[in-house]
Amino acid sequence: MSKIWLLTVFVGLAMNVVIFIQLSLTLLENNSFPFDSVMIQAVRSDSSQIMDTVMVFITHLGSSTMLGFLLIVGMVCFFLKYKDLLATLCFFTVVAGGGLLNSLLKIYFNRDRPNDNRLIEVDGLSFPSGHSMGSMLLYGFLVYLSLRYDRRKIRKVGVVTSLICLIFLIGISRIYLGVHYPSDVFAGFLAGIVWLGGWVIALELAYIWNNKKRLEY
């Protein structure tokens, strides 16, 4: 990744931090957002039994069990193919560390889940959405790995597009199933982007430093 791209990512992360802080301050002050009810109605306007089944399946793709399983499989497959220990360890840190961060944020904000029209029963606090943040971290890191390592442009475009759509759909599924407010999902995406982007920048800087050390010798 070039230095220009690193700077662009850094500026983007700074903007996400500002938005997340503003969202958090609004939540702490008002404990609600005007756009939540509007978005819930829009997402659930085409509800049906078939859609219910589809959304339940999609939401499971962002569960902690599924993400943990995919993390282990992804780390093993990636390391065996590319022998990149640094990226493999970063992959683990991004997903596992992000899960811990999400738990701490939930405890701090202490927002209850919505109670109206739940299609599934879940426990725990609501803000930010763990499924949204976790999917952004795991599938987002896979997007990064694809962009960096996959040399086949057509396959790269397909993989990246599919993963981004999946991340978005997992967030939508949490709203549709009635277990999160849209603001929870939005905050989960923002926090995930900041955490993921910070580690990606750190990893790229480590690559730059290692390359300089090789040139010196």
Side-chain angles (χ1 to χ4, degrees):
M1 188 180 292
S2 67
K3 293 180 180 179
I4 294 178
W5 272 109
L6 283 175
L7 179 60
T8 303
V9 172
F10 182 80
V11 172
L13 292 182
M15 294 175 61
N16 277 275
V17 170
V18 172
I19 297 172
F20 183 83
I21 291 174
Q22 184 60 50
L23 197 68
S24 302
L25 292 176
T26 303
L27 175 65
L28 292 173
E29 182 177 351
N30 301 324
N31 199 36
S32 64
F33 298 90
F35 63 84
D36 275 342
S37 58
V38 175
M39 290 189 65
I40 289 172
Q41 291 179 1
V43 170
R44 302 202 65 182
S45 61
D46 295 324
S47 60
S48 65
Q49 289 187 344
I50 295 177
M51 187 61 71
D52 293 352
T53 303
V54 171
M55 286 299 177
V56 168
F57 172 76
I58 291 174
T59 210
H60 282 320
L61 297 177
S63 67
S64 56
T65 301
M66 178 60 71
L67 295 180
F69 171 75
L70 293 177
L71 173 61
I72 295 173
V73 173
M75 288 174 59
V76 172
C77 293
F78 175 77
F79 182 75
L80 290 177
K81 184 172 183 179
Y82 295 104
K83 303 298 189 294
D84 188 338
L85 180 60
L86 195 60
T88 304
L89 293 176
C90 186
F91 192 8
F92 175 80
T93 303
V94 165
V95 179
L100 177 60
L101 175 61
N102 180 263
S103 297
L104 294 175
L105 289 172
K106 282 179 179 288
I107 293 172
Y108 177 76
F109 290 106
N110 194 35
R111 187 188 198 186
D112 293 329
R113 294 180 185 272
N115 292 318
D116 299 331
N117 300 318
R118 282 193 197 179
L119 299 183
I120 59 174
E121 287 301 322
V122 293
D123 298 322
L125 299 170
S126 189
F127 186 94
S129 165
H131 277 62
S132 301
M133 184 172 175
S135 61
M136 178 63 71
L137 296 176
L138 186 134
Y139 298 119
F141 197 83
L142 291 178
V143 167
Y144 161 73
L145 292 179
S146 179
L147 291 173
R148 198 179 207 287
Y149 285 94
D150 197 341
R151 298 184 181 276
R152 299 182 180 179
K153 292 184 179 181
I154 295 179
R155 184 173 65 183
K156 180 186 297 188
V157 171
V159 170
V160 170
T161 302
S162 298
L163 290 174
I164 291 176
C165 288
L166 178 58
I167 293 170
F168 177 74
L169 287 173
I170 288 173
I172 291 296
S173 73
R174 304 307 285 170
I175 301 171
Y176 180 92
L177 295 172
V179 294
H180 276 296
Y181 297 102
S183 51
D184 299 333
V185 172
F186 186 42
F189 285 156
L190 287 174
I193 290 172
V194 172
W195 182 257
L196 171 63
W199 280 103
V200 166
I201 289 177
L203 180 59
E204 288 295 328
L205 291 175
Y207 285 142
I208 293 172
W209 185 81
N210 286 338
N211 289 335
K212 287 184 176 180
K213 295 296 289 185
R214 290 194 190 99
L215 291 175
E216 290 177 1
Y217 291 103

